[in-house]
Amino acid sequence: MTDTALTRTDAPTRTRPRRAWVGALIGVALVVLAVASLFIGVSDVTPASLIAGDADAAFLLVASRVPRTVAVILAGASLAIAGLIMQMMVRNKFVEPSTTGVTEFATLGMLVTIVLWPGMAVVGKMGVATAFGLVGTWVFLRVIRAVPVRQLVLVPLVGVMLGGIVGAVTTFFAYRLDLLQSLGQWSQGSFATVMQGRYEFVWFAAAMVVVAWIAADRFSVIGLGEEFATNLGLNYRRVMAIGTCVIAVITASVLVTAGMIPFLGLVVPNIVSLMVGDNVRRSIPWVAGLGAVFVLACDIIARTVRFPYEIPLSVIVGVIGAGLFLWLLLRKGSRAH
């Protein structure tokens, strides 16, 4: 009996140092990859050239490399958080903005701005995309409420079907209006065009991460169900509205800056859940850090695998993310559900 008690009390003590080591490893990886990202590219920007006072290298570093690296970090962290919040809202580990139709609704909003207001400023386009993302999240939540069978895989399947319908409508009108090429700019995620003056909108996504952190405990409670949250005195509808706004703003700001980045919000929260559980406040730093590391690594691969050409980031993230998700599903004793 004593041995059993010791085993139970020692288990958390053993896991905490392991989590601390993993957290430190994520932090080190983030710093190393961020520094590497600053010096990877076609143009010659090296520490030696900066020390030597090369004005062109210094300008390129400030105008392009630093904004791109910051944008990648913020986009990766915020999209992973958006996936975490959506999973708590829907109470399903298989959902994220790109599997629930939210990204497709936001893309439809971008097409509407191209057709009706072609000269609209980028901040206006982000506002319209956010509004469409809000509508998309609301539609998805309403649809799954009406689904009589609550099987695990059925919920994301509904989201994929909803996104497929909206995506087909968007592609149809883009084809009829000869705007497929313009639409392709948003449907393929890439940070190749990000530079000073073209990345600042991802700071809106960073602000939503702060909002998610402030409301983290409420998201943990609504993850237990509407009835349980209401019994605890929580305003369930208000928290759901906050979560919807967080997801829509993050999706729209990243879409305007870099385009679609699939699977990120699906894989990263599941990996973190295996290590630290489903407490949102405890998970947010891990999810943000791992999301940033994941997108940074994929962006570096996209820039180097066919150097000096770039592969769209969405291709690399999609391939690696799909592989990781299959591993989560098929691993022995998987808890990714």
Side-chain angles (χ1 to χ4, degrees), residues 306-319:
R306 288 196 63 205
F307 189 84
Y309 304 103
E310 280 195 33
I311 296 175
L313 176 65
S314 56
V315 174
I316 305 298
V317 174
V319 171

PDB file of all heavy atoms in Angstrom, residues 306-319:
ATOM      1  N   ARG A 306      14.665  23.584 -52.491  1.00  0.00           N
ATOM      2  CA  ARG A 306      14.907  23.827 -53.921  1.00  0.00           C
ATOM      3  C   ARG A 306      15.596  25.181 -54.118  1.00  0.00           C
ATOM      4  O   ARG A 306      15.284  25.927 -55.040  1.00  0.00           O
ATOM      5  CB  ARG A 306      13.594  23.807 -54.708  1.00  0.00           C
ATOM      6  CG  ARG A 306      12.970  22.427 -54.865  1.00  0.00           C
ATOM      7  CD  ARG A 306      11.911  22.441 -55.956  1.00  0.00           C
ATOM      8  NE  ARG A 306      12.487  22.758 -57.263  1.00  0.00           N
ATOM      9  CZ  ARG A 306      11.803  23.308 -58.280  1.00  0.00           C
ATOM     10  NH1 ARG A 306      10.532  23.645 -58.106  1.00  0.00           N
ATOM     11  NH2 ARG A 306      12.384  23.542 -59.423  1.00  0.00           N
ATOM     12  N   PHE A 307      16.502  25.467 -53.240  1.00  0.00           N
ATOM     13  CA  PHE A 307      17.204  26.744 -53.274  1.00  0.00           C
ATOM     14  C   PHE A 307      17.822  26.974 -54.661  1.00  0.00           C
ATOM     15  O   PHE A 307      18.398  26.055 -55.239  1.00  0.00           O
ATOM     16  CB  PHE A 307      18.309  26.734 -52.204  1.00  0.00           C
ATOM     17  CG  PHE A 307      18.963  28.063 -51.980  1.00  0.00           C
ATOM     18  CD1 PHE A 307      18.388  28.980 -51.133  1.00  0.00           C
ATOM     19  CD2 PHE A 307      20.141  28.389 -52.633  1.00  0.00           C
ATOM     20  CE1 PHE A 307      18.987  30.206 -50.917  1.00  0.00           C
ATOM     21  CE2 PHE A 307      20.739  29.620 -52.425  1.00  0.00           C
ATOM     22  CZ  PHE A 307      20.159  30.528 -51.567  1.00  0.00           C
ATOM     23  N   PRO A 308      17.684  28.184 -55.237  1.00  0.00           N
ATOM     24  CA  PRO A 308      17.194  29.456 -54.679  1.00  0.00           C
ATOM     25  C   PRO A 308      15.691  29.674 -54.827  1.00  0.00           C
ATOM     26  O   PRO A 308      15.213  30.776 -54.601  1.00  0.00           O
ATOM     27  CB  PRO A 308      17.961  30.485 -55.507  1.00  0.00           C
ATOM     28  CG  PRO A 308      18.086  29.850 -56.843  1.00  0.00           C
ATOM     29  CD  PRO A 308      18.257  28.381 -56.582  1.00  0.00           C
ATOM     30  N   TYR A 309      14.932  28.646 -55.259  1.00  0.00           N
ATOM     31  CA  TYR A 309      13.477  28.795 -55.385  1.00  0.00           C
ATOM     32  C   TYR A 309      12.806  28.411 -54.072  1.00  0.00           C
ATOM     33  O   TYR A 309      13.380  27.718 -53.236  1.00  0.00           O
ATOM     34  CB  TYR A 309      12.949  27.919 -56.523  1.00  0.00           C
ATOM     35  CG  TYR A 309      13.614  28.195 -57.845  1.00  0.00           C
ATOM     36  CD1 TYR A 309      14.593  27.332 -58.334  1.00  0.00           C
ATOM     37  CD2 TYR A 309      13.279  29.307 -58.599  1.00  0.00           C
ATOM     38  CE1 TYR A 309      15.220  27.575 -59.544  1.00  0.00           C
ATOM     39  CE2 TYR A 309      13.895  29.561 -59.813  1.00  0.00           C
ATOM     40  CZ  TYR A 309      14.873  28.687 -60.278  1.00  0.00           C
ATOM     41  OH  TYR A 309      15.492  28.938 -61.471  1.00  0.00           O
ATOM     42  N   GLU A 310      11.558  28.859 -53.912  1.00  0.00           N
ATOM     43  CA  GLU A 310      10.790  28.545 -52.709  1.00  0.00           C
ATOM     44  C   GLU A 310       9.594  27.679 -53.044  1.00  0.00           C
ATOM     45  O   GLU A 310       8.911  27.916 -54.043  1.00  0.00           O
ATOM     46  CB  GLU A 310      10.286  29.826 -52.026  1.00  0.00           C
ATOM     47  CG  GLU A 310      11.318  30.513 -51.180  1.00  0.00           C
ATOM     48  CD  GLU A 310      10.690  31.542 -50.250  1.00  0.00           C
ATOM     49  OE1 GLU A 310       9.544  31.319 -49.792  1.00  0.00           O
ATOM     50  OE2 GLU A 310      11.346  32.568 -49.989  1.00  0.00           O
ATOM     51  N   ILE A 311       9.349  26.678 -52.203  1.00  0.00           N
ATOM     52  CA  ILE A 311       8.124  25.887 -52.277  1.00  0.00           C
ATOM     53  C   ILE A 311       7.083  26.564 -51.382  1.00  0.00           C
ATOM     54  O   ILE A 311       7.437  27.082 -50.318  1.00  0.00           O
ATOM     55  CB  ILE A 311       8.393  24.450 -51.797  1.00  0.00           C
ATOM     56  CG1 ILE A 311       9.373  23.750 -52.729  1.00  0.00           C
ATOM     57  CG2 ILE A 311       7.107  23.646 -51.716  1.00  0.00           C
ATOM     58  CD1 ILE A 311       9.780  22.377 -52.261  1.00  0.00           C
ATOM     59  N   PRO A 312       5.823  26.606 -51.796  1.00  0.00           N
ATOM     60  CA  PRO A 312       4.803  27.205 -50.912  1.00  0.00           C
ATOM     61  C   PRO A 312       4.817  26.557 -49.531  1.00  0.00           C
ATOM     62  O   PRO A 312       4.887  25.330 -49.395  1.00  0.00           O
ATOM     63  CB  PRO A 312       3.491  26.913 -51.649  1.00  0.00           C
ATOM     64  CG  PRO A 312       3.885  26.832 -53.084  1.00  0.00           C
ATOM     65  CD  PRO A 312       5.252  26.207 -53.088  1.00  0.00           C
ATOM     66  N   LEU A 313       4.767  27.377 -48.513  1.00  0.00           N
ATOM     67  CA  LEU A 313       4.818  26.877 -47.138  1.00  0.00           C
ATOM     68  C   LEU A 313       3.676  25.920 -46.854  1.00  0.00           C
ATOM     69  O   LEU A 313       3.849  24.938 -46.107  1.00  0.00           O
ATOM     70  CB  LEU A 313       4.767  28.064 -46.168  1.00  0.00           C
ATOM     71  CG  LEU A 313       4.710  27.726 -44.683  1.00  0.00           C
ATOM     72  CD1 LEU A 313       5.990  27.036 -44.234  1.00  0.00           C
ATOM     73  CD2 LEU A 313       4.469  28.984 -43.861  1.00  0.00           C
ATOM     74  N   SER A 314       2.498  26.175 -47.432  1.00  0.00           N
ATOM     75  CA  SER A 314       1.347  25.318 -47.175  1.00  0.00           C
ATOM     76  C   SER A 314       1.600  23.882 -47.612  1.00  0.00           C
ATOM     77  O   SER A 314       1.056  22.943 -47.011  1.00  0.00           O
ATOM     78  CB  SER A 314       0.113  25.866 -47.881  1.00  0.00           C
ATOM     79  OG  SER A 314       0.348  26.006 -49.274  1.00  0.00           O
ATOM     80  N   VAL A 315       2.430  23.683 -48.637  1.00  0.00           N
ATOM     81  CA  VAL A 315       2.754  22.325 -49.091  1.00  0.00           C
ATOM     82  C   VAL A 315       3.569  21.590 -48.033  1.00  0.00           C
ATOM     83  O   VAL A 315       3.267  20.446 -47.670  1.00  0.00           O
ATOM     84  CB  VAL A 315       3.525  22.373 -50.420  1.00  0.00           C
ATOM     85  CG1 VAL A 315       3.992  20.982 -50.828  1.00  0.00           C
ATOM     86  CG2 VAL A 315       2.670  22.992 -51.521  1.00  0.00           C
ATOM     87  N   ILE A 316       4.597  22.249 -47.508  1.00  0.00           N
ATOM     88  CA  ILE A 316       5.452  21.623 -46.489  1.00  0.00           C
ATOM     89  C   ILE A 316       4.666  21.369 -45.209  1.00  0.00           C
ATOM     90  O   ILE A 316       4.730  20.268 -44.627  1.00  0.00           O
ATOM     91  CB  ILE A 316       6.676  22.514 -46.192  1.00  0.00           C
ATOM     92  CG1 ILE A 316       7.454  22.820 -47.482  1.00  0.00           C
ATOM     93  CG2 ILE A 316       7.592  21.846 -45.172  1.00  0.00           C
ATOM     94  CD1 ILE A 316       8.022  21.615 -48.159  1.00  0.00           C
ATOM     95  N   VAL A 317       3.909  22.367 -44.762  1.00  0.00           N
ATOM     96  CA  VAL A 317       3.116  22.205 -43.539  1.00  0.00           C
ATOM     97  C   VAL A 317       2.076  21.105 -43.722  1.00  0.00           C
ATOM     98  O   VAL A 317       1.839  20.294 -42.813  1.00  0.00           O
ATOM     99  CB  VAL A 317       2.445  23.527 -43.150  1.00  0.00           C
ATOM    100  CG1 VAL A 317       1.500  23.325 -41.972  1.00  0.00           C
ATOM    101  CG2 VAL A 317       3.484  24.575 -42.792  1.00  0.00           C
ATOM    102  N   GLY A 318       1.456  21.049 -44.908  1.00  0.00           N
ATOM    103  CA  GLY A 318       0.445  20.032 -45.166  1.00  0.00           C
ATOM    104  C   GLY A 318       1.015  18.628 -45.123  1.00  0.00           C
ATOM    105  O   GLY A 318       0.436  17.728 -44.507  1.00  0.00           O
ATOM    106  N   VAL A 319       2.173  18.422 -45.755  1.00  0.00           N
ATOM    107  CA  VAL A 319       2.787  17.091 -45.787  1.00  0.00           C
ATOM    108  C   VAL A 319       3.227  16.662 -44.392  1.00  0.00           C
ATOM    109  O   VAL A 319       2.894  15.565 -43.912  1.00  0.00           O
ATOM    110  CB  VAL A 319       3.972  17.078 -46.767  1.00  0.00           C
ATOM    111  CG1 VAL A 319       4.753  15.773 -46.645  1.00  0.00           C
ATOM    112  CG2 VAL A 319       3.492  17.266 -48.199  1.00  0.00           C
TER     113      VAL A 319
END
